Amino acid sequence: MDKHSRTILNGIILKASSYAVSRESAYKILSKLHPVSTKEEILRRQELIRNYFRALLGSDIEEVRNLLEKALSVELVFKEKLTDRVIVTDNSDDYKILRTISNICPVTMITSEEDISALLRMYDIVIFYSSDENALREDLSDVFFLNEIREEYVAPERVLNSLRENLEGLHAIMKLLELIPEDDMKPLIDVKVIRKAVLDEKVKGIAERIKTISALDGVIEEMLNDANRRILEKAEQYEIRLKGSELLEAFVRGSDSISEIMKGLEEIKSLIEEEAMGIESNVEKILGHAGEGIVIRTYPIRIDDERYRELKEASIRELKRELFRISLSLVRTIISQVDLIRKAMEKMKFLDAMQSLYLFVSRGPWCFPKIFNGGIGFIGGRNPFLDNPQPVTYAIGKLPGDVDIRLDESSVTLLTGANSGGKTTLLETMLSFQLMGQAGFPVPAEKAWLDVVDIVRYYRGSRRSLSAGAFEQSLKLSLIHISEPTRPLYISYAVFCLK
């Protein structure tokens, strides 16, 4: 296929995928259905697409699109790399395996338990991988062990979270599976089992605690502001004025003023202690660790940042490890369901591509081209790139028996006409139908037929020059790449501008 033909084909796929809910995935899927020169494969694709179209014809297309939007929101492939965990091994062969999933999280080799201890201080979660089940070392505390590397086992929390947030999408998948021809997957997917796992109360509780602790800085700041305001209000209740001589005499002989000053200071000191203990008690309840000593008892009272950060990080690390442990256990119970959902997601993407192709061609009459030896043509064909094209009938070569149009049969046709008369549009329509037909796609026409060819060459001469010999050179070049007899189709167009 020459570059002009590839440009036309790419334009068709872009146009067809523009109706998809996920244009990117639809474009990839339709691009893989590139034109082929095997009749059996073309017919197989036609039957596949026809079955999808039949299902869509009997459905509310807007409802299908709404369900696809929900279904395609289910995400089980995560691009963001995790930085809170590391996978380690002490075997060089296992390390080669780990390197293949280094896009998920950091991986490293260890040589001693000291390496593990250092990593436990650096990461919230440390995973030890060994392909040999007997080599797993349960003597290493706070370390998780895997003998099978899967993204779902490395990041089980993300899997559960994604499914939890997209339960509506799972129900949409189940409804859409009913549309897919000859699908036997729906009975295997158990949404109740998945729902039970993703709505686990322990996971939910731990996730909420982590969220609360992560937002603790703002809460503490607010508590400090309130406490210091109350301390200041208490201090402002006291107002004692003494002259210098009166102050000296009060210290020598004692006075009610001095007693009042000392009483006020003691009350303020007690209030500072009370406020500090209250903050520490609240922090302890949230962190799950003793918060004693994290508030500095001066005015204004403030947090010992170093001590507080240590407690906060320790709490989050413990909770993350517990969340990982429970999530891993739950994901292992539904891993077969996760695999089925992944397969179902691919079916959803294909269904989206099919409904996009359906909307693309069904703006008017459409059909699957008939495979016919000796000629190509169409009746009421519409250019796929134009919004409101004029239907046209055109053919080259022999005609099928059920086509009633007058035509002089010839393998070569000369198309002439005035400038801007539609010659280019007609040729591009013919080329588009040939490419779409050999890809197994339907075409926007009342009736169409094509002869399966091995080579498609579309030559469009320059509008600024005669490009003498270019078409002949194209013919020569095409022969260089042919090692066995093939059936070529050449479409050539040159515009001569006469002064």
Side-chain angles (χ1 to χ4, degrees):
M1 189 186 304
D2 63 285
K3 65 178 182 180
H4 299 298
S5 299
R6 284 195 296 270
T7 299
I8 294 293
L9 177 61
N10 188 61
I12 293 169
I13 295 172
L14 281 172
K15 189 82 172 177
S17 59
S18 67
Y19 295 86
V21 172
S22 176
R23 295 186 180 185
E24 182 180 355
S25 66
Y27 177 82
K28 290 180 180 178
I29 289 170
L30 294 178
S31 295
K32 291 180 180 178
L33 296 173
H34 52 79
V36 295
S37 57
T38 307
K39 178 180 177 181
E40 291 74 16
E41 175 60 17
I42 294 173
L43 294 176
R44 187 194 69 80
R45 292 185 187 181
Q46 285 187 356
E47 184 61 22
L48 173 66
I49 297 173
R50 184 181 287 109
N51 287 336
Y52 272 88
F53 279 24
R54 284 180 185 141
L56 292 169
L57 280 168
S59 306
D60 182 339
I61 197 68
E62 285 303 315
E63 182 183 0
V64 171
R65 289 178 61 82
N66 289 335
L67 289 172
L68 279 170
E69 287 183 4
K70 296 174 183 178
L72 294 175
S73 68
V74 179
E75 184 62 68
L76 291 176
V77 178
F78 307 100
K79 298 179 181 178
E80 183 181 355
K81 186 172 182 176
L82 294 169
T83 58
D84 66 341
R85 65 200 63 190
V86 63
I87 309 177
V88 304
T89 187
D90 56 4
N91 182 281
S92 58
D93 291 332
D94 288 341
Y95 180 65
K96 293 178 182 178
I97 297 174
L98 291 183
R99 290 183 63 181
T100 63
I101 52 97
S102 59
N103 61 307
I104 302 176
C105 69
V107 300
T108 188
M109 278 276 292
I110 60 170
T111 57
S112 65
E113 290 190 19
E114 286 73 19
D115 293 339
I116 288 285
S117 299
L119 291 170
L120 285 170
R121 291 190 295 270
M122 294 171 58
Y123 295 94
D124 295 329
I125 298 168
V126 177
I127 305 168
F128 186 97
Y129 168 69
S130 175
S131 55
D132 182 4
E133 293 186 24
N134 298 322
L136 297 184
R137 299 169 55 183
E138 297 182 359
D139 58 309
L140 298 175
S141 60
D142 297 324
V143 177
F144 299 92
F145 299 92
L146 293 177
N147 55 25
E148 180 183 3
I149 287 295
R150 293 185 55 145
E151 182 177 2
E152 296 89 349
Y153 294 161
V154 176
E157 317 97 310
R158 289 205 301 196
V159 174
L160 293 179
N161 188 54
S162 178
L163 292 174
R164 185 186 310 112
E165 292 178 351
N166 293 289
L167 282 173
E168 192 176 1
L170 290 180
H171 289 290
I173 289 174
M174 297 301 287
K175 289 183 179 180
L176 290 171
L177 285 174
E178 297 176 359
L179 289 178
I180 296 177
E182 300 180 1
D183 181 73
D184 57 355
M185 183 177 291
K186 183 180 178 181
L188 302 177
I189 297 178
D190 193 334
V191 177
K192 290 183 179 179
V193 170
I194 298 171
R195 186 182 181 87
K196 181 180 179 181
V198 302
L199 295 180
D200 183 84
E201 288 298 326
K202 290 182 180 179
V203 169
K204 182 180 178 181
I206 295 173
E208 286 296 325
R209 283 196 62 192
I210 293 175
K211 184 178 179 180
T212 300
I213 293 174
S214 298
L216 185 56
D217 292 6
V219 175
I220 289 179
E221 183 179 359
E222 186 176 341
M223 287 192 294
L224 287 173
N225 290 336
D226 290 343
N228 284 318
R229 177 179 51 78
R230 287 190 290 269
I231 293 169
L232 180 60
E233 289 174 352
K234 182 70 175 179
E236 288 180 341
Q237 295 176 6
Y238 301 96
E239 184 177 353
I240 301 173
R241 296 181 179 179
L242 294 174
K243 294 180 180 179
S245 58
E246 293 174 337
L247 181 62
L248 290 174
E249 184 179 353
F251 272 114
V252 173
R253 298 180 180 181
S255 71
D256 293 340
S257 296
I258 292 297
S259 298
E260 190 68 20
I261 291 172
M262 298 306 296
K263 179 182 178 182
L265 291 175
E266 285 299 323
E267 288 182 359
I268 293 173
K269 182 179 178 181
S270 296
L271 180 57
I272 288 175
E273 180 65 24
E274 180 183 338
E275 294 288 355
M277 290 179 64
I279 292 174
E280 289 174 345
S281 176
N282 288 333
V283 171
E284 182 176 339
K285 290 177 182 177
I286 296 173
L287 292 181
H289 285 272
E292 184 178 352
I294 67 168
V295 178
I296 299 175
R297 272 91 163 147
T298 60
Y299 181 79
I301 61 174
R302 63 189 188 277
I303 289 291
D304 183 337
D305 286 336
E306 184 176 354
R307 171 68 175 152
Y308 166 64
R309 295 298 169 194
E310 289 177 356
L311 289 175
K312 181 180 178 181
E313 290 174 4
S315 297
I316 290 178
R317 182 173 290 115
E318 288 180 8
L319 289 172
K320 280 190 172 183
R321 288 173 181 171
E322 182 64 9
L323 180 61
F324 180 88
R325 183 186 66 78
I326 298 174
S327 298
L328 179 59
S329 176
L330 290 170
V331 167
R332 278 175 165 155
T333 65
I334 62 169
I335 193 63
S336 61
Q337 294 293 312
V338 173
D339 290 338
L340 287 172
I341 293 171
R342 286 187 185 278
K343 293 178 181 178
M345 287 300 299
E346 294 305 311
K347 291 178 178 287
M348 295 301 103
K349 293 175 182 178
F350 193 83
L351 176 61
D352 186 30
M354 291 298 100
Q355 70 86 24
S356 182
L357 180 61
Y358 170 75
L359 292 176
F360 171 57
V361 299
S362 64
R363 293 174 292 173
W366 58 271
C367 68
F368 285 93
K370 178 180 180 180
I371 306 300
F372 176 71
N373 292 329
I376 59 175
F378 45 84
I379 296 175
R382 307 182 313 280
N383 186 288
F385 296 104
L386 302 180
D387 292 331
N388 294 298
Q390 179 68 34
V392 63
T393 297
Y394 197 75
I396 298 176
K398 298 178 181 179
L399 296 175
D402 58 347
V403 173
D404 185 20
I405 60 175
R406 296 184 62 182
L407 176 70
D408 293 330
E409 296 184 358
S410 174
S411 60
V412 178
T413 297
L414 177 63
L415 178 65
T416 62
N419 288 349
S420 301
K423 299 183 298 298
T424 302
T425 301
L426 174 58
L427 291 177
E428 288 183 350
T429 301
M430 184 183 302
L431 175 61
S432 298
F433 283 18
Q434 187 71 28
L435 295 173
M436 293 174 71
Q438 291 200 207
F441 295 173
V443 297
E446 296 175 17
K447 181 176 289 189
W449 59 96
L450 61 87
D451 193 352
V452 177
V453 298
D454 300 299
I455 296 175
V456 176
R457 293 276 182 187
Y458 177 52
Y459 167 69
R460 180 177 177 179
S462 171
R463 294 182 180 271
R464 297 182 180 179
S465 68
L466 299 182
S467 299
F471 179 54
E472 290 80 355
Q473 184 65 21
S474 176
L475 293 177
K476 293 178 182 178
L477 289 174
S478 70
L479 296 177
I480 293 175
H481 303 285
I482 299 171
S483 59
E484 59 184 10
T486 57
R487 296 173 58 79
L489 170 66
Y490 297 109
I491 300 176
S492 177
Y493 176 49
V495 176
F496 298 87
C497 299
L498 302 177
K499 296 183 179 179

